[in-house]
Amino acid sequence: MESRRATIKDVAEAAGVGVATVSRVLSGGSASPETRERVLAVAAHLDYRPSALGRNLRQRRTGGMGLFVPDLTDTFYGQLAEGVLACARSAGEPVVLGSTGDDPEQEAELVGMLLEQGLDRVIAVPSGGTETWGPAIKAGMTVVFADRLPSDAPTDAGPGTRPGSLSGSPSDEGSGAATVTDLMLLDGLPPASRARPLDVPAVLADDRAGIRTAVRYLRGLGHRRIAFLGGPGHGRRVAAFREAVGAPVDEDLVVFATGSRDSAYAAASGLFQSRPDLTAVVTGGNVLGEAAVLAARELDLRVPRDVSLVMYDDVPWAELCSPPLTVIAQPGRDMGYRAAELVLRAGSRRPRSVLLPTELIVRGSCGPRH
């Protein structure tokens, strides 16, 4: 009976490293000399063939695409997934769905498994950076980012740094190709603050315009001490917030949580208790918005009389709150659909990145400063 063929996971376990490390080594990515030597020795001993990492992906292709999101319970990512599935369904393509938990190592393992299976197209809300995605792209994988950029793409020009003046929106229509670099320029990042990004397309919402509109709205209501509550992947949004409020930025009013709901609640509660003088909060996502609503309720803060709330993301429960939440709406389903279109057409021509509009929807959670 023919013995089972070694897999990338077998190599990783035998070498005592992660799947991501094996993928990097066999794709020519970064690793220490000792680790590289150990991985190559184990791969040779197990007769593992590097072609399984994608050398011949185009010939071995199994069809379909992967979709990686940080949290399957997040309503926005559910909307994004619906868009991907709708486009894939119309093209007769299956979708392999993975949840990364906003963990770069877990994301890298999922990438390695897709390469192992010969699946060469993926849409990702990235958690990792070039160490994860560089080797995958080099191995032949077609990647489209959605909602945000890789973690090591610089997104914050820093306090007091004025943005550039380039304006406009890259689109998949018309001439010229927009890459992640173009989208970063459109976010107003000066050349000195940008590292070399991965040359792959992305579908993003216009965070800069959305946050700027929300801050201007709150300022118009008389609010001056406005806080921002952010989480993983919100670098572009906090950069936009700092730009909108202007220098000097009160850094005590810029607070971050990890990806969990417990962390979001702790961050919101801590913000309200440490800064009782704040009058308004902008949250970077719907999980953080939910945490802000719960924390305000627990602390007997009245919305909007004591504190006004604006949440990034429009999700069904936002209208059911009392009062209904003012939101910065981004087109999650459309984002997923457009990302799937880009990854499906990548074989015929170089896909172009897309920047989708946001909209401030005013409801009852914001009021004038008393």
Side-chain angles (χ1 to χ4, degrees):
M1 185 174 69
E2 185 179 354
S3 61
R4 182 177 71 89
R5 179 178 175 179
T7 69
I8 189 173
K9 195 169 183 181
D10 295 330
V11 176
E13 288 177 354
V17 297
V19 171
T21 301
V22 176
S23 176
R24 283 197 299 272
V25 169
L26 298 181
S27 299
S30 61
S32 69
E34 297 80 7
T35 299
R36 182 179 301 279
E37 184 177 348
R38 185 166 71 255
V39 168
L40 292 175
V42 169
H45 176 72
L46 295 179
D47 194 26
Y48 180 75
R49 298 174 222 173
S51 60
L53 276 173
R55 181 179 293 169
N56 300 311
L57 271 177
R58 298 296 176 186
Q59 289 72 36
R60 301 176 56 245
R61 201 163 143 189
T62 59
M65 67 184 77
L67 170 62
F68 297 164
V69 297
D71 181 2
L72 291 172
T73 67
D74 187 314
T75 307
F76 170 74
Y77 294 129
Q79 294 171 350
L80 188 148
E82 280 294 328
V84 171
L85 292 169
C87 182
R89 192 179 305 118
S90 67
E93 296 276 0
V95 177
V96 177
L97 181 60
S99 176
T100 66
D102 251 323
D103 179 354
E105 275 299 312
Q106 190 170 324
E107 178 179 74
E109 289 191 13
L110 288 171
V111 170
M113 285 186 237
L114 287 190
L115 289 169
E116 177 77 26
Q117 295 165 15
L119 201 156
D120 68 339
R121 298 179 296 196
V122 65
I123 298 160
V125 179
S127 301
T130 53
E131 281 211 340
T132 296
W133 295 105
I137 293 164
K138 186 176 179 181
M141 180 172 274
T142 298
V143 179
V144 173
F145 296 127
D147 181 54
R148 65 197 196 200
L149 303 178
S151 60
D152 53 5
T155 53
D156 185 359
T161 303
R162 299 304 301 165
S165 59
L166 182 64
S167 63
S169 296
S171 169
D172 61 349
E173 303 297 334
S175 61
T179 65
V180 168
T181 303
D182 301 303
L183 292 172
M184 291 165 71
L185 279 167
L186 287 164
D187 274 341
L189 298 181
S193 72
R194 296 191 310 271
R196 180 177 180 139
L198 296 166
D199 187 22
V200 298
V203 182
L204 307 173
D206 193 347
D207 292 341
R208 187 184 181 202
I211 296 291
R212 182 175 55 207
T213 301
V215 171
R216 285 179 177 173
Y217 171 66
L218 290 169
R219 283 270 175 85
L221 292 172
H223 296 277
R224 294 297 177 265
R225 288 183 292 278
I226 305 169
F228 182 87
L229 185 59
H234 292 166
R236 291 166 58 245
R237 293 173 192 172
V238 74
F241 176 80
R242 287 193 172 108
E243 175 197 342
V245 298
V249 177
D250 185 343
E251 293 297 333
D252 289 340
L253 293 178
V254 181
V255 176
F256 287 91
T258 63
S260 73
R261 281 174 162 76
D262 286 345
S263 173
Y265 177 82
S269 180
L271 174 63
F272 287 140
Q273 293 180 77
S274 65
R275 290 300 299 264
D277 60 326
L278 71 82
T279 63
V281 177
V282 178
T283 72
N286 68 82
V287 172
L288 294 158
E290 176 185 320
V293 170
L294 294 174
R297 184 180 302 163
E298 288 292 321
L299 296 170
D300 293 324
L301 293 174
R302 296 164 295 177
V303 178
R305 183 173 180 83
D306 297 324
V307 62
S308 290
L309 295 179
V310 178
M311 179 176 74
Y312 204 107
D313 287 342
D314 188 20
V315 293
W317 59 260
E319 286 189 277
L320 304 178
C321 287
S322 180
L325 293 188
T326 294
V327 299
I328 304 165
Q330 61 172 334
R333 192 178 189 279
D334 192 24
M335 185 180 292
Y337 198 98
R338 300 289 285 273
E341 284 184 325
L342 291 187
V343 84
L344 287 171
R345 73 174 58 158
S348 58
R349 60 187 175 96
R350 187 186 183 202
R352 297 161 183 162
S353 292
V354 180
L355 194 67
L356 299 173
T358 55
E359 178 187 4
L360 182 68
I361 300 177
V362 176
R363 296 181 180 131
S365 63
C366 296
R369 176 70 183 120
H370 294 286

